[in-house]
Amino acid sequence: MGISIDGNRYDAITFDCYGTLIDWEKGLTGYLTPLLESHDIHVVDSFLFDFYGRKEAELQAGVYRPYREILEDVLATLADRLGFTPSAEAIAGFPDSVGNWQPFPDTIAALKALGQRFQLVVISNIDDELFDLTQATLGINFDHVVTAGQVKAYKPDPRMFETAIERIGLPKARILHVAQSLYHDIAPATALGLDTVWIDRHEGHGSGATAPAEATPKWTLHNLRELVDALEPAV
């Protein structure tokens, strides 16, 4: 018997995008690994994810800068760490590669099913122009999209969630937040009083490309298919 969540308690589901809906780790390695190998550099994926997660969090904690610049700086810092000099085209191409990052196999079917019953909302540490690339890939009409580019702040900053709650126009108790990152999402959303579902796509084996954190979600699932099943109305 799987987890059961009373879907009648909610009118809207808010989602993190990258890492939850989009397989950003495969997207990251899909761009970075060939680039590194072209400079005869070979590293394990876990190194890339740990470096990326920590450096991204460090950059996002400072004065707001567009996510395109964050990605470029992560790559430049990685290159410095590994001792090579990427071309200007390689650095600029990293953010553009977001358009090639693909959804997890369970994402689109789950969003279509959930969209029949709930408002679907994205809360993402991304620029609008880059999210548009992902929107075209997903083909899902979200009721609201809240980006860091709009708020001029990055999760875990509570302003991201407060902006979403304001736009949705519902009490917090009627909103369910779903995300993979404990650091960016589950901890701050829980602190604000939202019910949370942690999509543990690493099944207990580390935090992947996100900074490590401690948080206590209300429910823990492993993919969005499980979320759809958990929210199925009782017969």
Side-chain angles (χ1 to χ4, degrees):
M1 183 72 177
I3 291 173
S4 178
I5 301 172
D6 183 2
N8 293 324
R9 296 175 55 186
Y10 307 104
D11 297 306
I13 302 178
T14 54
F15 292 91
D16 164 61
C17 185
Y18 302 95
T20 305
L21 306 179
I22 296 292
D23 190 347
W24 76 325
E25 290 174 357
K26 188 174 288 185
L28 292 172
T29 57
Y31 188 84
L32 294 175
T33 299
L35 175 62
L36 295 179
E37 290 179 347
S38 73
H39 291 271
D40 200 25
I41 296 172
H42 304 271
V43 298
V44 295
D45 290 351
S46 59
F47 166 82
L48 286 178
F49 297 154
D50 181 70
F51 185 95
Y52 183 95
R54 293 178 185 277
K55 189 62 184 179
E56 182 199 58
E58 175 190 325
L59 292 169
Q60 289 177 340
V63 175
Y64 173 79
R65 298 164 61 211
Y67 192 60
R68 173 177 288 276
E69 294 181 14
I70 298 289
L71 286 174
E72 291 175 346
D73 274 9
V74 169
L75 177 50
T77 307
L78 176 66
D80 185 63
R81 168 72 171 78
L82 296 175
F84 74 100
T85 303
S87 67
E89 291 77 13
I91 291 177
F94 189 28
D96 291 333
S97 73
V98 168
N100 297 322
W101 299 2
Q102 294 300 304
F104 288 101
D106 51 271
T107 294
I108 293 176
L111 290 176
K112 287 181 177 179
L114 295 170
Q116 297 178 30
R117 298 176 57 202
F118 306 97
Q119 289 187 47
L120 302 182
V121 181
V122 166
I123 308 175
S124 180
N125 282 355
I126 196 78
D127 299 337
D128 285 358
E129 58 155 325
L130 296 180
F131 182 76
D132 286 345
L133 302 176
T134 296
Q135 174 77 71
T137 299
L138 289 172
I140 300 293
N141 293 320
F142 294 98
D143 294 276
H144 303 279
V145 174
V146 177
T147 66
Q150 297 164 15
V151 181
K152 300 297 185 286
Y154 287 101
K155 297 180 293 183
D157 191 311
R159 286 177 290 172
M160 290 287 286
F161 300 94
E162 291 165 350
T163 299
I165 293 166
E166 180 180 354
R167 290 186 189 174
I168 295 167
L170 292 170
K172 292 179 185 178
R174 303 297 301 175
I175 301 170
L176 180 66
H177 187 61
V178 177
Q180 177 271 326
S181 176
L182 296 175
Y183 170 78
H184 294 100
D185 288 89
I186 301 302
T190 300
L192 278 174
L194 293 171
D195 285 348
T196 56
V197 176
W198 178 33
I199 303 299
D200 179 16
R201 290 200 179 272
H202 301 100
E203 300 188 1
H205 299 290
S207 57
T210 63
E214 296 291 330
T216 306
K218 188 156 188 174
W219 295 282
T220 297
L221 301 170
H222 296 108
N223 56 61
L224 298 183
R225 177 68 254 177
E226 290 184 5
L227 178 66
V228 173
D229 291 343
L231 285 165
E232 284 293 336
V235 178

